[in-house]
Amino acid sequence: MTAKKALITGITGQDGSYLAELLLEKGYWVHGIARRASTFNTERIDHLYEDPHHPQARLFLHYGDLTDGSRLANLLESIRPDEVYHLAAQSHVRVSFDEPEFTGNCTGLGTTRLLEAIRSVGLPCRFYQASSSEMFGSTPPPQCEETPFHPRSPYGVAKVYAYWATRNYREAYGIYAVNGILFNHESPRRGPTFVTRKVASAAARIKAGLQDLVYLGNLEARRDWGYAAEYVEAMWRMLQQEEADDYVIATGTSHSVRDFVELCFEHVGLDWRDHVRFDERYVRPSEVDHLVGDAAKAERLLGWKPTVRTPELARLMVDAELGALSRPSVPAAPTPGRAVLAPVS
Ligand code: NAP
Ligand code: F7E
């Protein structure tokens, strides 16, 4: 049997890197779209990369941007993937208040551009949309597939648009298109400005004597935080079903930001009250107060169940930060292992 081909948008992000690992383990050929940047942005996937000239190479990177529809169509035409995992987005909620128009263009319209490219090329591929619990916004928990949306940020609004675009292409054109409605999922590869990574990093650095204080916003918000490495398995399972459908992925538990802070500082033997200060700039114009997912449908139909809960997640993230601090730093210059983007043909 020929190996399947997957295309991942957002392959350089947290989820993209775990998903690429998973698909390579499963024997897929993996193609990823990455943005051109003046510095390397492939740090999370460098360990997976092999020179594309190597006969064993199964991971290929291509330049592309969600705001460039013709490029997306050309890439789909030449790669002809069996499965498309659409993970790329401007994914930071606080930033979306500063850049609402860009967020709408990238996170919302970007999904339509990709779906329209699939339709116009006539590819019989399966499509995964990275939908988000932010779409539920202020609707009280627990939230499941039937819960009404009430987004509270330009990011949430853009994700609701993309969610409906995905359903519409499924209903209108019969495309196998699914929404994975994922609640917060974190890891040592989380972007450094999301609260879990920011706090885990601060706890480790304060313990090591490298800083004394960390500035945070709203400590009362509650989130359902799971482990990203487990969540990408659910994405893959969604594309292996007979029928396309939408699924919530979550742990079913919730903790406040304050709880997460306490867990991280406790793990390094410090009292968080001595080191955490308030800074208004991290407060959002409208907040999502309480998210707790009900992933019963995913357990029943996909056989997916999380094993890592928030307290263990906090400890593993702090341990990863401590480990990184104790290792000599890697030189910034390109190394042979660093991904060098290669043309597809
Ligand atoms: P992430 O770490 O922020 O990664 C986002 C990816 O999108 C990066 O590879 C980024 O490239 C790429 N990207 C951003 N703008 C782009 C553009 N204009 N064109 C092409 N690529 C672009 O996000 P993540 O945590 O892995 O999340 C993956 C997806 O799931 C996102 O769509 C996010 O909104 C959604 N989601 C995340 C969570 C969560 O808790 N993590 C929960 C629900 C849904 P650079 O590396 O160059 O920045
Ligand atoms: O904020 C509060 C903040 O930025 C969590 C994205 O992956 O998950 C993520 O969105 C909470 C919020 O994640 C700081 O107000 C306090 O209540 O880590 P976050 P998020 O907004 O939940 C969803 C599911 C996605 O889809 C998104 O793509 O923490 N908070 N103080 C803070 N947040 C940040 N970032 N920084 C602070 O200093």
Side-chain angles (χ1 to χ4, degrees), residues 4-9 19 23 26 28-31 76 79-86 118 123-128 176 235-241:
K4 277 192 192 168
K5 235 187 277 176
L7 174 64
I8 305 177
T9 72
L19 181 65
L23 296 179
K26 289 187 184 296
Y28 278 64
W29 295 78
V30 176
H31 291 257
L76 284 166
I79 298 166
R80 305 196 75 79
D82 302 289
E83 295 172 8
V84 174
Y85 295 87
H86 177 38
I118 290 170
L123 265 189
C125 64
R126 296 185 166 202
F127 178 84
Y128 173 88
Y176 187 113
M235 297 176 186
W236 176 76
R237 289 190 187 197
M238 284 180 218
L239 291 199
Q240 314 311 312
Q241 304 307 302

Side-chain angles (χ1 to χ4, degrees), residues 258-272:
R258 185 192 306 275
D259 294 338
F260 197 89
V261 169
E262 202 168 336
L263 285 163
C264 290
F265 278 81
E266 229 172 54
H267 190 52
V268 292
L270 294 172
D271 184 341
W272 68 274

Side-chain angles (χ1 to χ4, degrees), residues 22-57:
L22 180 81
L23 296 179
L24 288 169
E25 271 165 32
K26 289 187 184 296
Y28 278 64
W29 295 78
V30 176
H31 291 257
I33 298 181
R35 293 191 283 186
R36 193 267 160 184
S38 67
T39 52
F40 286 108
N41 57 1
T42 54
E43 196 183 332
R44 293 185 178 104
I45 50 171
D46 282 342
H47 63 292
L48 299 175
Y49 196 75
E50 277 188 276
D51 187 318
H53 305 102
H54 193 282
Q56 305 301 322

Side-chain angles (χ1 to χ4, degrees), residues 91-94 132-134 155 159 182-186 190 193-196 198 215-219 221 223 225 257 282-284 287-288 291:
S91 72
H92 202 285
V93 174
R94 179 68 192 83
S132 165
S133 53
E134 279 293 301
Y155 169 80
K159 284 288 183 184
L182 272 53
F183 282 60
N184 296 55
H185 46 281
E186 320 291 315
R190 187 54 142 155
T193 62
F194 293 93
V195 81
T196 53
K198 182 172 169 180
Y215 292 86
L216 297 174
N218 176 18
L219 300 186
R223 291 288 183 276
W225 280 297
V257 174
Y282 300 116
V283 175
R284 292 148 191 208
E287 177 63 284
V288 170
L291 294 173

Side-chain angles (χ1 to χ4, degrees), residues 272-290:
W272 68 274
R273 288 174 201 82
D274 297 335
H275 302 282
V276 174
R277 297 290 178 269
F278 175 73
D279 187 333
E280 204 171 336
R281 89 181 73 177
Y282 300 116
V283 175
R284 292 148 191 208
S286 47
E287 177 63 284
V288 170
D289 294 324
H290 199 178

Side-chain angles (χ1 to χ4, degrees), residues 40-341:
F40 286 108
N41 57 1
T42 54
E43 196 183 332
R44 293 185 178 104
I45 50 171
D46 282 342
H47 63 292
L48 299 175
Y49 196 75
E50 277 188 276
D51 187 318
H53 305 102
H54 193 282
Q56 305 301 322
R58 284 189 296 119
L59 172 63
F60 305 93
L61 299 181
H62 313 269
Y63 286 126
D65 196 291
L66 290 178
T67 56
D68 182 352
S70 61
R71 175 61 171 157
L72 296 175
N74 288 337
L75 282 172
L76 284 166
E77 177 86 66
S78 56
I79 298 166
R80 305 196 75 79
D82 302 289
E83 295 172 8
V84 174
Y85 295 87
H86 177 38
L87 309 184
Q90 190 303 89
S91 72
H92 202 285
V93 174
R94 179 68 192 83
V95 171
S96 79
F97 286 99
D98 299 329
E99 299 187 1
E101 188 181 328
F102 173 72
T103 302
N105 189 5
C106 169
T107 304
L109 266 180
T111 301
T112 293
R113 287 191 189 97
L114 196 51
L115 283 164
E116 185 56 13
I118 290 170
R119 189 192 69 78
S120 60
V121 170
L123 265 189
C125 64
R126 296 185 166 202
F127 178 84
Y128 173 88
Q129 162 62 17
S131 283
S132 165
S133 53
E134 279 293 301
M135 301 187 305
F136 299 122
S138 59
T139 310
Q143 294 98 358
C144 69
E145 292 80 4
E146 310 309 323
T147 303
F149 300 142
H150 185 149
R152 297 272 287 169
S153 64
Y155 169 80
V157 170
K159 284 288 183 184
V160 170
Y161 170 85
Y163 167 94
W164 282 112
T166 301
R167 284 195 58 167
N168 183 239
Y169 273 69
R170 179 161 90 212
E171 292 164 12
Y173 306 116
I175 292 176
Y176 187 113
V178 310
N179 283 290
I181 307 173
L182 272 53
F183 282 60
N184 296 55
H185 46 281
E186 320 291 315
S187 74
R189 296 185 199 167
R190 187 54 142 155
T193 62
F194 293 93
V195 81
T196 53
R197 178 84 192 279
K198 182 172 169 180
V199 171
S201 161
R205 289 176 57 82
I206 291 168
K207 180 68 180 176
L210 296 171
Q211 72 184 64
D212 188 34
L213 296 174
V214 59
Y215 292 86
L216 297 174
N218 176 18
L219 300 186
E220 309 310 325
R222 299 186 73 85
R223 291 288 183 276
D224 181 334
W225 280 297
Y227 183 32
E230 295 190 326
Y231 282 40
V232 297
E233 170 75 25
M235 297 176 186
W236 176 76
R237 289 190 187 197
M238 284 180 218
L239 291 199
Q240 314 311 312
Q241 304 307 302
E242 215 160 286
E243 299 277 330
D245 204 347
D246 307 318
Y247 301 89
V248 158
I249 298 298
T251 71
T253 65
S254 99
H255 291 79
S256 66
V257 174
R258 185 192 306 275
D259 294 338
F260 197 89
V261 169
E262 202 168 336
L263 285 163
C264 290
F265 278 81
E266 229 172 54
H267 190 52
V268 292
L270 294 172
D271 184 341
W272 68 274
R273 288 174 201 82
D274 297 335
H275 302 282
V276 174
R277 297 290 178 269
F278 175 73
D279 187 333
E280 204 171 336
R281 89 181 73 177
Y282 300 116
V283 175
R284 292 148 191 208
S286 47
E287 177 63 284
V288 170
D289 294 324
H290 199 178
L291 294 173
V292 191
D294 171 0
K297 178 177 172 184
E299 184 175 350
R300 196 173 70 251
L301 300 179
L302 305 178
W304 181 88
K305 228 174 134 172
T307 65
V308 178
R309 297 288 187 277
T310 304
E312 186 185 346
L313 176 68
R315 291 191 291 272
L316 81 78
M317 288 180 72
V318 174
D319 286 342
E321 297 295 333
L322 291 169
L325 287 177
S326 67
R327 283 191 295 276
S329 63
V330 183
T335 63
R338 194 177 282 279
V340 179
L341 292 165

